[in-house]
Amino acid sequence: MTTSVASVEGMATLSTDLFYDILRRLDGPTLASAACACAAFSSISKEEMLWENVCSSMWPSTNRDDVKSLISSIGGFRKFYADCFPLIVNKEVSEYQWNNYREYPEEWTEAEYYGDTEEFESISPSDFVSIVDIRYKDKTICSKVLWGIPNANGFNGWFYNCPFRIDLLTYAARDDDDDGEVILSVSDGLPPIASMERERKDGKLWQELRDGLCLSWIVVNRKIKQAANLASWSPLGGQRHWPTDRDFVIRFGSILPARDILPCQVVECILSMKFRVIHTEGEGVQTTLKLTELSMQLEDMEGSHVNGRNSLLILKEALSCHRSKNYSEVLESCHLYSKVQTELKEEKMRNESRLDRLCILSGIAAFITFCYYVL
């Protein structure tokens, strides 16, 4: 008991500077846990500089002066971390019933298809900011910031009625100091490949990419002062050797709520990353990959692209939806969406098959009737 009391008294005599020096070495989850340990840690952990260090370590794009000003304007780095570290989990997927979904656009009312016009008028594409970081084996290989949504000028412009898509590499490069190229090579940890023929057989490069890549795509709305991470950190899927033999497409994303926006109630935010092999060992240089595409788009249950108007409403709604630090919950949400989507497609195919059979039987019956009366 004496030893315990002495330890507590010893803690009380330690200086605040020493506590601060201890806490500034911690990562975000550990710092949040330390804040619950004692009153001294709780008080010091409220220092913005501590959370700024955590954010800059986790998201190097937040080191930019303009991004720092943005984060300060929406509540500070502590709030930014609390909003963006947990990932979006949509538990409404399990409530989805395919038979309540009117799948064809002609069955939708204008309000259902275009969303709430009054609510939409309060949303401006220029309010959104994308903060993107890519890591490969814990090394940051790309940091991009995109202010606003490109080509979204004019209320009745093509953007609002055409499929929503953001090609980050195309528009963010003009705001960066570098030439925008993102290169991965053997020196970054890639396995050397002798030829594309060998890669098709063993898939070693493809596996290393899927295991090593991490993506963070944070969307901030400056007007409502909210932020959320729309990525899944780790890949959810992808395609190798597509569309050409040297291309690898890796898919990240999340499931976003669309209640009162679209009849399907939920949509998938698809974040695609494409790498192209530009050199192999057999060409006399080390294996080298180049990032050629980094994009965001939204798709409904049938795989149809969501238009720009509804996408802005969905993105705004996503900034205030449920999140979790449990990555297994995030994966469960994505897998559940894929399961329901597959069931919907299978049911649609069965209905179309029934309709085809009905048409064939009707044709045969009509032919027999015709022959009966003619003969």
Side-chain angles (χ1 to χ4, degrees):
M1 179 64 69
T2 304
T3 304
S4 177
V5 172
S7 299
V8 173
E9 292 177 350
M11 281 282 290
T13 60
L14 294 177
S15 69
T16 302
D17 291 340
L18 182 57
F19 283 158
Y20 183 89
D21 189 61
I22 294 172
L23 295 182
R24 73 179 181 85
R25 303 173 187 274
L26 305 180
D27 59 15
T30 309
L31 178 58
S33 299
C36 303
C38 65
F41 279 2
S42 177
S43 176
I44 298 172
S45 66
K46 297 177 182 178
E47 290 289 334
E48 273 293 290
M49 186 57 68
L50 288 174
W51 293 103
E52 181 177 341
N53 292 338
V54 168
C55 289
S56 64
S57 175
M58 190 164 194
W59 304 295
S61 52
T62 60
N63 281 319
R64 291 175 38 155
D65 291 337
D66 53 354
V67 177
K68 288 181 179 180
S69 299
L70 170 66
I71 294 174
S72 298
S73 69
I74 64 172
F77 283 90
R78 186 184 180 195
K79 178 180 181 296
F80 182 80
Y81 180 86
D83 287 342
C84 301
F85 178 73
L87 299 179
I88 291 177
V89 174
N90 196 325
K91 297 184 178 180
E92 296 179 356
V93 178
S94 58
E95 301 173 3
Y96 175 81
Q97 297 293 329
W98 66 266
N99 53 351
N100 292 330
Y101 175 37
R102 289 166 287 169
E103 52 187 287
Y104 298 106
E106 58 265 25
E107 299 178 2
W108 301 351
T109 65
E110 184 177 355
E112 287 174 323
Y113 187 80
Y114 289 107
D116 189 340
T117 303
E118 292 183 2
E119 182 181 357
F120 177 76
E121 289 176 349
S122 66
I123 303 175
S124 172
S126 60
D127 292 335
F128 292 92
V129 181
S130 293
I131 302 174
V132 181
D133 292 282
I134 305 175
R135 291 178 180 270
Y136 180 70
K137 295 186 176 180
D138 296 326
K139 176 185 176 181
T140 302
I141 61 172
C142 178
S143 292
K144 300 284 184 182
V145 179
L146 180 64
W147 297 85
I149 297 178
N151 299 326
N153 298 325
F155 181 82
N156 292 319
W158 66 268
F159 167 82
Y160 297 96
N161 299 312
C162 290
F164 172 82
R165 181 183 172 92
I166 297 178
D167 289 300
L168 192 76
L169 296 185
T170 302
Y171 298 104
R174 64 189 179 191
D175 298 326
D176 296 335
D177 296 331
D178 57 21
D179 59 3
E181 288 194 350
V182 179
I183 302 296
L184 272 179
S185 64
V186 173
S187 59
D188 297 310
L190 282 180
I193 57 172
S195 65
M196 294 308 301
E197 289 76 13
R198 179 64 179 271
E199 168 59 22
R200 277 197 299 269
K201 293 179 180 179
D202 57 33
K204 187 176 180 180
L205 178 60
W206 167 247
Q207 191 62 46
E208 286 289 330
L209 281 176
R210 290 201 56 178
D211 292 343
L213 283 171
C214 291
L215 172 66
S216 170
W217 190 312
I218 295 172
V219 171
V220 180
N221 187 300
R222 293 182 281 182
K223 187 174 183 178
I224 62 176
K225 301 183 185 300
Q226 291 181 325
N229 196 337
L230 303 186
S232 51
W233 282 118
S234 299
L236 298 175
Q239 291 176 285
R240 52 187 295 205
H241 309 300
W242 189 92
T244 71
D245 187 50
R246 288 177 171 258
D247 290 321
F248 297 90
V249 179
I250 302 173
R251 182 175 60 85
F252 302 78
S254 55
I255 309 303
L256 307 182
R259 186 179 295 275
D260 300 325
I261 301 174
L262 291 176
C264 60
Q265 304 297 309
V266 289
V267 300
E268 183 178 15
C269 176
I270 300 176
L271 307 175
S272 296
M273 186 187 304
K274 183 191 292 183
F275 280 92
R276 173 167 294 173
V277 178
I278 56 177
H279 296 298
T280 61
E281 302 294 324
E283 297 170 351
V285 293
Q286 63 179 5
T287 302
T288 307
L289 274 65
K290 177 182 177 181
L291 180 65
T292 59
E293 180 183 310
L294 182 57
S295 64
M296 173 199 292
Q297 57 189 14
L298 305 183
E299 291 186 359
D300 65 14
M301 275 285 182
E302 285 196 324
S304 300
H305 297 297
V306 181
N307 63 29
R309 182 192 303 265
N310 289 330
S311 293
L312 293 183
L313 293 170
I314 292 169
L315 289 178
K316 180 183 177 182
E317 183 72 17
L319 301 184
S320 57
C321 69
H322 179 70
R323 291 161 236 200
S324 174
K325 298 176 184 177
N326 187 344
Y327 187 66
S328 62
E329 286 188 35
V330 178
L331 290 180
E332 182 182 357
S333 173
C334 295
H335 292 158
L336 182 58
Y337 180 90
S338 298
K339 178 183 177 181
V340 174
Q341 188 179 47
T342 300
E343 291 174 353
L344 173 65
K345 291 179 179 179
E346 291 175 350
E347 183 62 28
K348 183 179 178 181
M349 291 176 63
R350 285 193 292 267
N351 289 337
E352 290 177 348
S353 178
R354 295 188 192 106
L355 183 60
D356 289 341
R357 289 196 296 268
L358 180 61
C359 290
I360 292 172
L361 292 175
S362 299
I364 293 173
F367 178 76
I368 294 174
T369 303
F370 175 77
C371 292
Y372 176 79
Y373 281 106
V374 170
L375 298 176

